[in-house]
Amino acid sequence: RHTKELGEFQDKILGRQQKPKFSTELLNYRKIEERLAKLKQYNEAHKIKAKADRLEEVETERWTKRRRKEMNRQENQFKNTKLQELAALQKRIQAGREGQKKQRHITLERLLQRYQNVKNELETQQNHERINREKQIT
């Protein structure tokens, strides 16, 4: 069950994948590149495009690392929560077992006490009957 929930959680995290938010510097490079291309300054546009591509690659890599780190943190937090739930459940089960064991012990003690009381009563009754018979015989 925990494995299934972990898989669902991971799917949920991956489903929320966002696009990276690029810096204003990169967005400016892209605008400049577009303007230069419109002005037919292709060499300059190509240089700016190369700079923008390198910057985008760096920013994307940084964003990917940050995102992966955040996903790992969330997954670890999820696992820790599940481990705590499991520990709490095991503790409750153990407490229930101990309670049942104690109750069985108390019930056993009561039954043993009843047995001793009935046994003593029967012995006393038999002794009285024996004494009465001995008196009748003599």
Side-chain angles (χ1 to χ4, degrees), residues 100-112:
Q100 288 177 344
K101 191 175 179 181
K102 186 176 180 180
Q103 191 60 42
R104 282 195 308 265
H105 181 71
I106 290 170
T107 303
L108 176 63
E109 289 296 321
R110 285 183 186 154
L111 284 173
L112 288 174

Side-chain angles (χ1 to χ4, degrees), residues 6 9-10 13-14 16 64-80:
L6 178 61
F9 182 75
Q10 288 170 338
I13 288 176
L14 291 174
R16 289 188 307 187
T64 303
K65 285 180 183 178
R66 203 175 315 132
R67 180 73 181 136
R68 193 174 302 127
K69 187 176 178 180
E70 176 63 19
M71 287 172 56
N72 286 337
R73 186 194 64 75
Q74 288 177 348
E75 187 175 321
N76 288 336
Q77 184 179 4
F78 179 80
K79 286 178 182 179
N80 287 337

Side-chain angles (χ1 to χ4, degrees), residues 88-102:
L89 182 60
Q90 287 175 336
K91 188 176 179 181
R92 263 190 15 225
I93 289 170
Q94 186 62 29
R97 283 182 185 153
E98 292 296 323
Q100 288 177 344
K101 191 175 179 181
K102 186 176 180 180

Side-chain angles (χ1 to χ4, degrees), residues 128-138:
H128 284 318
E129 287 179 9
R130 185 179 47 83
I131 291 172
N132 284 340
R133 295 221 186 240
E134 285 177 0
K135 284 182 183 178
Q136 287 176 352
I137 294 178
T138 51

Side-chain angles (χ1 to χ4, degrees), residues 3-135:
T3 306
K4 180 183 173 189
E5 287 180 5
L6 178 61
E8 290 172 358
F9 182 75
Q10 288 170 338
D11 290 343
K12 181 178 149 187
I13 288 176
L14 291 174
R16 289 188 307 187
Q17 280 286 28
Q18 304 166 346
K19 291 184 178 180
K21 293 184 180 179
F22 295 113
S23 68
T24 54
E25 183 182 2
L26 175 62
L27 297 176
N28 284 337
Y29 277 147
R30 293 294 181 198
K31 284 181 186 177
I32 292 170
E33 172 193 345
E34 196 176 307
R35 285 187 194 131
L36 289 172
K38 284 182 183 178
L39 294 173
K40 298 185 181 189
Q41 295 180 0
Y42 300 117
N43 285 336
E44 287 298 316
H46 182 69
K47 290 177 186 176
I48 296 294
K49 181 182 182 331
K51 279 184 181 180
D53 288 345
R54 283 192 303 269
L55 185 58
E56 183 176 343
E57 188 177 314
V58 168
E59 288 182 9
T60 302
E61 182 65 28
R62 189 179 315 140
W63 178 84
T64 303
K65 285 180 183 178
R66 203 175 315 132
R67 180 73 181 136
R68 193 174 302 127
K69 187 176 178 180
E70 176 63 19
M71 287 172 56
N72 286 337
R73 186 194 64 75
Q74 288 177 348
E75 187 175 321
N76 288 336
Q77 184 179 4
F78 179 80
K79 286 178 182 179
N80 287 337
T81 301
K82 291 300 173 186
L83 286 174
Q84 289 173 351
E85 288 175 7
L86 180 62
L89 182 60
Q90 287 175 336
K91 188 176 179 181
R92 263 190 15 225
I93 289 170
Q94 186 62 29
R97 283 182 185 153
E98 292 296 323
Q100 288 177 344
K101 191 175 179 181
K102 186 176 180 180
Q103 191 60 42
R104 282 195 308 265
H105 181 71
I106 290 170
T107 303
L108 176 63
E109 289 296 321
R110 285 183 186 154
L111 284 173
L112 288 174
Q113 187 61 46
R114 278 190 205 150
Y115 168 75
Q116 286 297 326
N117 290 344
V118 169
K119 181 181 167 188
N120 290 339
E121 188 178 324
L122 284 174
E123 286 176 353
T124 304
Q125 188 179 6
Q126 285 176 350
N127 281 337
H128 284 318
E129 287 179 9
R130 185 179 47 83
I131 291 172
N132 284 340
R133 295 221 186 240
E134 285 177 0
K135 284 182 183 178

